[in-house]
């Protein structure tokens, strides 16, 4: 979402940015390929998937879909996704967006995520930062859909 808004200031009227990693994580980037080359075979193991799932703090009812989707991700795609995510850098042109933007971050996320949410909200002129008390990374859109929808309604009205 951040990249789209930074490239085209008129692309949309409203946007939500949730738990965005927007600075390069150089060490993480360098470790992705060797780590996944060694551990990719574990992805299809249900016990390993349950450990990953638990660390994401998702609703238990979502595990079967999570496991099914995880098993379908190729190693190359997973590596590409992780590298892209860990190398993204916030663009100054984001400040040109005309969209009204709601920036969401959970209070239980890593401090860097809250710092980045503040930075993003400060960069976007027509934005609002909402630190979600008691929420984890990506928690609202996945585990609290009703709350997420209410925030969307408030954003567009």
């Amino acid at each position: 979402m951040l990249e789209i808004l930074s490239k085209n200031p008129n692309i949309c009227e409203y946007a939500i940015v949730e738990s965005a990693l927007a600075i390069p994580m150089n060490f993480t980037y360098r470790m992705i390929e060797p780590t996944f080359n060694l551990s990719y075979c574990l992805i299809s193991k249900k016990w390993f998937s349950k450990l990953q799932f638990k660390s994401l703090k998702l609703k238990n009812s979502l595990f079967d879909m999570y496991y099914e989707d995880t098993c379908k991700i190729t190693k190359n795609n997973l590596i590409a996704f992780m590298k892209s995510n860990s190398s993204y850098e916030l663009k100054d042109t984001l400040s040109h967006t005309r969209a009204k933007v709601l920036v969401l971050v959970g209070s239980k996320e890593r401090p860097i995520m809250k710092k980045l949410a503040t930075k993003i909200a400060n960069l976007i002129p027509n934005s609002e930062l909402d630190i979600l008390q008691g929420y984890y990374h990506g928690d609202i859109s996945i585990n609290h859909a009703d709350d997420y929808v209410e925030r969307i309604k408030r954003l567009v009205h």
Side-chain angles (χ1 to χ4, degrees):
M1 177 55 65
L2 295 173
E3 186 66 11
I4 292 168
L5 292 172
S6 69
K7 286 186 174 186
N8 186 340
N10 299 311
I11 191 89
C12 60
E13 290 182 51
Y14 306 99
I16 296 179
V17 174
E18 181 183 1
S19 301
L21 182 60
I23 60 167
M25 307 294 279
N26 297 325
F27 178 75
T28 301
Y29 182 88
R30 288 192 306 273
M31 295 306 297
I32 289 169
E33 200 155 351
T35 300
F36 284 106
N37 280 330
L38 291 171
S39 64
Y40 179 76
C41 61
L42 296 174
I43 282 180
S44 63
K45 309 292 183 197
K46 208 164 212 173
W47 64 268
F48 182 78
S49 202
K50 284 181 181 179
L51 289 174
Q52 288 292 109
F53 182 81
K54 187 175 181 180
S55 74
L56 295 171
K57 312 256 190 276
L58 302 173
K59 288 184 198 176
N60 289 334
S61 62
L62 298 175
F63 176 74
D64 290 335
M65 286 187 293
Y66 171 84
Y67 179 65
E68 182 181 330
D69 288 346
T70 300
C71 288
K72 292 177 185 176
I73 300 172
T74 67
K75 181 170 68 170
N76 289 340
N77 284 346
L78 184 58
I79 289 170
F81 170 78
M82 295 301 291
K83 281 185 165 185
S84 177
N85 191 48
S86 66
S87 65
Y88 186 75
E89 191 166 4
L90 201 57
K91 312 291 188 306
D92 288 337
T93 54
L94 185 59
S95 66
H96 302 148
T97 187
R98 297 209 189 335
K100 182 176 181 185
V101 180
L102 177 59
V103 181
L104 302 173
V105 66
S107 68
K108 293 187 174 184
E109 292 197 50
R110 294 177 16 213
I112 188 68
M113 298 305 290
K114 291 180 266 187
K115 183 178 176 182
L116 286 168
T118 301
K119 185 175 181 178
I120 291 164
N122 287 337
L123 186 59
I124 300 172
N126 193 14
S127 67
E128 175 186 335
L129 173 61
D130 197 350
I131 299 174
L132 307 166
Q133 293 307 308
Y135 282 34
Y136 294 94
H137 182 78
D139 200 6
I140 187 169
S141 60
I142 296 173
N143 292 327
H144 305 278
D146 291 341
D147 187 7
Y148 190 70
V149 168
E150 285 306 312
R151 289 167 196 276
I152 292 170
K153 288 179 183 176
R154 285 196 300 266
L155 177 67
V156 300
H157 289 102

